[in-house]
Amino acid sequence: AWEEGLGYTSYILQYITQLSSSLCINFDTSYGINDSAGLEELLDFTIATFGPTGIYNFADATVGRSTSSFAFYLANVYDRCDVRSFVLKHFTDTDAVECINALFWCEDVTDVNDVQFKNSYERKLEHITLGSGFEPESTWLSTHGGYNDANHHHLDLGSFVFDCDGVRWAMELGSDSYN
């Protein structure tokens, strides 16, 4: 898991996946990028931060459901058709760059395997997700602890989000103004 939440995970992976993709297309190798420790696990972290009404927005992440085009690329690299279909089904807000990348990296998803909801615990980040599913009527709780020395934490350790019956009843307030 990434200490700075899904927003910064998406930001850094945007560049890592573009570099890896370019290397693979032009030189038929990623020069070890795709073998980096923890890279595939970020796909599971992406899913673990997703709740029925949006993502858990700790460490400056936005509340909405942003399309994570990096997930398409990494799902292809690691042969994770479950992740491809999950992202297509649940992540809907898009911008132009995300749409182009998703079209470029999204392979055939006719073999749809829905991701089954799993409670999760990410060590060191101390991120916990508990719930009954991804459907709007599901109950879902996500929180994190860990250390407050990571960038962009803004003393938000212990914050949590709680979704139930299609409503976010408790939420992380999001990023502060840097001005």
Side-chain angles (χ1 to χ4, degrees), residues 9-177:
T9 299
S10 298
Y11 178 76
I12 191 65
L13 286 178
Q14 170 186 344
Y15 298 103
I16 290 173
T17 53
Q18 288 174 0
L19 174 61
S20 173
S21 174
S22 296
L23 290 170
C24 287
I25 289 169
N26 291 297
F27 302 108
D28 203 28
T29 179
S30 73
Y31 289 98
I33 292 173
N34 294 341
D35 300 323
S36 298
L39 197 55
E40 181 177 3
E41 287 75 18
L42 285 174
L43 293 172
D44 295 317
F45 174 65
T46 300
I47 293 170
T49 59
F50 180 85
T53 66
I55 67 167
Y56 177 24
N57 61 314
F58 71 94
D60 287 352
T62 59
V63 177
R65 300 176 178 184
S66 104
T67 301
S68 297
S69 60
F70 74 84
F72 288 118
Y73 177 73
L74 294 177
N76 292 334
V77 167
Y78 300 114
D79 196 26
R80 295 279 307 269
C81 61
D82 59 327
V83 174
R84 283 194 302 263
S85 60
F86 179 84
V87 173
L88 282 173
K89 183 176 179 180
H90 295 288
F91 286 51
T92 56
D93 296 342
T94 59
D95 64 26
V97 173
E98 290 284 324
C99 287
I100 291 168
N101 286 340
L103 288 172
F104 183 66
W105 288 328
C106 186
E107 293 183 359
D108 182 22
V109 290
T110 55
D111 182 21
V112 174
N113 296 320
D114 277 339
V115 173
Q116 298 300 311
F117 182 84
K118 296 185 294 189
N119 293 326
S120 70
Y121 169 66
E122 298 285 340
R123 191 96 181 119
K124 187 181 175 197
L125 178 60
E126 304 302 321
H127 175 257
I128 300 168
T129 299
L130 305 168
S132 60
F134 297 112
E135 298 76 24
E137 66 276 0
S138 299
T139 301
W140 185 77
L141 172 74
S142 191
T143 186
H144 84 288
Y147 302 96
N148 231 352
D149 59 353
N151 294 323
H152 305 286
H153 268 208
H154 305 294
L155 302 176
D156 66 354
L157 297 182
S159 65
F160 64 94
V161 292
F162 178 69
D163 294 353
C164 184
D165 292 328
V167 176
R168 179 147 290 177
W169 293 95
M171 65 187 301
E172 214 284 335
L173 297 177
S175 62
D176 296 325
S177 172

